[in-house]
């Protein structure tokens, strides 16, 4: 197995290819460490984290960091915006606002640090390990 590594990319939140670019980056950086089923789960969760940042935070850019240590891949998605979502989901929302649940289901560990108007910057941390 390759040694531990960290890679970071910064993306323009307004780019039409941002989510595709993030998926390629995460898959490429994770491939030496995780099998395809685990990569798929991780890419899905990261895509949702980035989509939330673009849609809900008002950020101009997104920073995605892939850190690998042993059999685990940790992804952080950071923005300079303000967290504007509320949970739990209201019954009448018909399929929207389920991203947090999706992320938590796709990875082994999930955390969220919410940016506020007085302390902007939201960070989502996703961890996927080979068991």
């Amino acid at each position: 197995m390759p040694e531990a590594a960290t890679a970071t990319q910064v993306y323009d939140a307004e780019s039409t290819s941002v989510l595709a670019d993030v998926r390629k980056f995460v898959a490429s950086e994770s491939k030496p460490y995780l099998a395809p089923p685990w990569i798929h789960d991780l890419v899905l969760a990261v895509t949702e984290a980035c989509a939330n940042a673009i849609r809900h935070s008002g950020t101009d850019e997104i920073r995605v960091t892939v850190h690998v240590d042993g059999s685990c891949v940790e992804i952080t998605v950071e923005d300079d915006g303000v967290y504007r979502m509320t949970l739990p989901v209201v019954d009448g929302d018909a399929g929207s606002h389920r991203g947090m649940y999706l992320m938590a289901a796709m990875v082994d560990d999930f955390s969220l640090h919410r940016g506020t108007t007085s302390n902007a910057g939201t960070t989502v941390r996703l961890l996927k390990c080979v068991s």
Side-chain angles (χ1 to χ4, degrees), residues 74-89:
E74 179 182 64
I75 309 283
T76 55
V77 176
E78 300 172 284
D79 65 56
D80 296 325
V82 175
Y83 181 85
R84 290 189 172 88
M85 294 291 295
T86 57
L87 294 175
V89 175

Side-chain angles (χ1 to χ4, degrees), residues 26-79:
V26 170
S28 173
E29 292 297 320
S30 302
K31 190 174 183 177
Y33 307 96
L34 297 177
W38 287 284
I39 293 172
H40 174 75
D41 291 350
L42 189 56
V43 167
L44 181 60
V46 171
T47 300
E48 183 60 34
C50 290
N52 283 349
I54 293 165
R55 184 172 183 198
H56 301 295
S57 78
T59 191
D60 292 329
E61 61 183 35
I62 302 165
R63 289 171 304 286
V64 179
T65 300
V66 178
H67 175 74
V68 180
D69 190 10
S71 61
C72 294
V73 176
E74 179 182 64
I75 309 283
T76 55
V77 176
E78 300 172 284
D79 65 56

Side-chain angles (χ1 to χ4, degrees), residues 42 46 49 73-78 103 107-113 122-129:
L42 189 56
V46 171
V73 176
E74 179 182 64
I75 309 283
T76 55
V77 176
E78 300 172 284
M103 286 185 279
V107 297
D108 298 312
D109 193 34
F110 164 80
S111 65
L112 169 69
H113 169 78
T122 297
T123 301
V124 174
R125 181 187 152 275
L126 305 159
L127 183 70
K128 189 73 174 175
C129 298

